[in-house]
Amino acid sequence: MGKHTLQTNITSLQGDIIVPGDKSISHRSVMFGAVAEGVTTVTGFLMGEDCLSTVSCFRQLGVEIEEKNDQMVIHGKGWAGLKEPSEVLNVGNSGTTIRLMMGILAGRNFHATLIGDESIGKRPMTRVTKPLGQMGAKIDGRQHGEYTPLSIRGGGISGIEYHAPVASAQVKSSILLAGLQAEGITTVVEPEKSRDHTERMIRQFGGTVDEKGLSVSVRGGQPLKGTEIQVPGDISSAAFFLVAGAIVPNSCITLKNVGLNPTRTGIIDVMKAMGADITIEETAEEQFEPIGDITIKTSHLKGTTIGGELIPRLIDELPIIALLATQAEGETIIRDAHELKVKETNRIDTVVNELSKLGASITATDDGMVIHGDDKDKFTGGVVSSHGDHRIGMMLAVAALICKEEVSLEHKEAISVSYPQFFADLEKLM
Ligand code: S3P
């Protein structure tokens, strides 16, 4: 592990960054490519550890996947091309891999066992094992299917109408992936709209999906055909530079080719509401996802309230938004964000504890946090930890930029889960 000394006292950040491919879309491109008929070519695939876990699991399921420069080429042979794995499938740190793969395996008439790292072992799984069980898959796991190791024997499943208790794209996608293999129609109704990459992906692979408000339905047995996918840059990775540009003095940063899917752009809405100097140039509706360039300049910020249907549109950005709020005038309230407790870490606790160590004035609440703002020039330094959570690690590296004293980061390696070249990109701006 070892401690890593972060850059502090930065007086300006200037330049352009091409952020790496979107994590959610990269996972789905491999999964859909694996179950489609024919070749799928994915350009701009995120070569982060999470997406590579998806690739290795599908190789174990018998799918040929080639890595060519920045492309992944997947040789799909349809759903029936998936074979019973002879070894345990290890998803590493990736919640998207395990939850979506469970949906795929729910329709396959063979046995598989799934495990992950220590963090995956604490993440709730009945949110997918319960509805997939209702569809007819035989699933078991530690504490009645709540935790890994999970074992599954799928096949012979039927469509259901499922009212999800939480807005979660992983839950929705898992059920839809099972639904594509089920008898009849499968419908998921969400309390709020979560990211819709799976719905867009089904259409991109030639399938049909019906969306009516918060309800999404698929018909089982429809053919999916291999295609070409251009993965946009990940707005969740761009978020770290959006906040760095806003809070470091004398800064101007342009993030190129960022995915601007409206189910993901909550951070832009919040930054605008806080008064950030942010401009967006939509470049093209590239294939199936909108993309554009975002420019951020050092900003004078004011506090805001974040809750309700906005939460699923920025759930992964809440740690870096909390840092942004420390530099705003007045209080920021984050509420309705219970889901933060079941991410790679309990992100209410890790954000509050780690930012407090650097001098922030921030309080945990049951469903979010209150950030007291006006911490400009108050960040000192200290020893902080990612706790093995990539987004906490990157948030702390951005916080360090405005610290006056030395900052060391423990468990820096977690950042490779979603952004292996994060520090190289950050240094380009200095
Ligand atoms: C994701 C959905 C979100 C998000 C995660 C990726 C996805 O999780 O936090 O990083 O790709 O579907 P939930 O579905 O649990 O909210």
Side-chain angles (χ1 to χ4, degrees), residues 23-24 28 96 99 127 167-170 195 315-316 343:
K23 183 156 81 70
S24 294
R28 286 161 174 79
T96 307
R99 295 200 179 112
R127 51 179 61 200
S168 158
Q170 292 180 356
R195 63 190 67 190
I315 186 74
D316 291 341
K343 294 295 176 188

Side-chain angles (χ1 to χ4, degrees), residues 21-64:
D22 187 278
K23 183 156 81 70
S24 294
I25 298 173
S26 295
H27 281 299
R28 286 161 174 79
S29 65
V30 168
M31 294 181 181
F32 276 90
V35 300
E37 305 269 354
V39 176
T40 292
T41 307
V42 185
T43 310
F45 183 84
L46 171 64
M47 299 289 176
E49 282 168 11
D50 265 15
C51 297
L52 295 174
S53 294
T54 293
V55 169
S56 78
C57 288
F58 279 87
R59 283 185 176 141
Q60 278 182 264
L61 291 166
V63 182
E64 187 194 340

Side-chain angles (χ1 to χ4, degrees), residues 85-267:
S86 51
E87 304 283 340
V88 168
L89 301 169
N90 189 339
V91 304
N93 189 243
S94 179
T96 307
T97 307
I98 193 162
R99 295 200 179 112
L100 271 60
M101 204 160 61
M102 288 294 285
I104 291 174
L105 295 174
R108 299 295 91 212
N109 187 9
F110 57 67
H111 170 263
T113 302
L114 291 85
I115 59 161
D117 68 5
E118 198 188 324
S119 155
I120 279 290
K122 294 182 192 147
R123 298 187 68 184
M125 294 297 154
T126 45
R127 51 179 61 200
V128 294
T129 57
K130 192 176 129 222
L132 296 174
Q134 285 169 9
M135 294 176 83
K138 292 176 196 68
I139 303 172
D140 208 347
R142 197 161 45 92
Q143 294 191 25
H144 306 285
E146 180 67 318
Y147 299 115
T148 55
L150 295 177
S151 67
I152 179 163
R153 177 175 291 280
I157 55 174
S158 310
I160 53 167
E161 179 172 317
Y162 189 68
H163 291 256
V166 285
S168 158
Q170 292 180 356
V171 171
K172 174 177 64 177
S173 303
S174 180
I175 299 168
L176 293 178
L177 282 160
L180 288 168
Q181 308 168 73
E183 185 76 40
I185 306 281
T186 297
T187 301
V188 183
V189 185
E190 295 193 282
E192 279 120 22
K193 181 131 181 101
S194 66
R195 63 190 67 190
D196 66 356
H197 303 301
T198 297
E199 294 88 315
R200 288 170 185 256
M201 198 63 85
I202 292 173
R203 294 193 185 101
Q204 180 67 15
F205 278 85
T208 313
V209 48
D210 293 321
E211 288 177 79
K212 276 188 212 91
L214 296 171
S215 150
V216 187
S217 304
V218 291
R219 184 173 33 82
Q222 41 177 316
L224 299 172
K225 276 200 217 73
T227 185
E228 282 180 19
I229 302 277
Q230 174 79 46
V231 181
D234 198 327
I235 191 164
S236 299
S237 299
F240 298 100
F241 294 107
L242 290 177
V243 170
I247 66 176
V248 171
N250 313 307
S251 296
C252 179
I253 307 172
T254 298
L255 287 323
K256 300 277 210 189
N257 286 316
V258 182
L260 294 174
N261 180 321
T263 61
R264 297 283 302 280
T265 49
I267 185 168

Side-chain angles (χ1 to χ4, degrees), residues 343-416:
K343 294 295 176 188
E344 285 82 332
T345 55
N346 175 334
R347 285 184 178 160
I348 296 181
D349 289 352
T350 47
V351 166
V352 169
N353 294 340
E354 298 309 306
L355 278 179
S356 298
K357 287 183 194 166
L358 296 178
S361 173
I362 173 168
T363 314
T365 61
D366 184 47
D367 65 347
M369 53 195 99
V370 177
I371 302 114
H372 303 289
D374 297 324
D375 282 337
K376 258 194 172 357
D377 304 321
K378 284 194 200 141
F379 273 25
T380 48
V383 180
V384 288
S385 171
S386 75
H387 294 274
D389 183 335
H390 55 130
R391 299 201 199 280
I392 300 297
M394 287 185 275
M395 180 275 285
L396 291 167
V398 176
L401 302 173
I402 55 166
C403 283
K404 302 276 173 270
E405 294 161 25
E406 192 173 295
V407 183
S408 334
L409 175 66
E410 293 176 339
H411 293 291
K412 170 202 174 208
E413 71 286 348
I415 291 172
S416 319

Side-chain angles (χ1 to χ4, degrees), residues 297-310:
K297 295 183 183 156
T298 309
S299 305
H300 183 79
L301 302 158
K302 54 183 191 299
T304 188
T305 297
I306 305 168
E309 60 180 16
L310 194 51

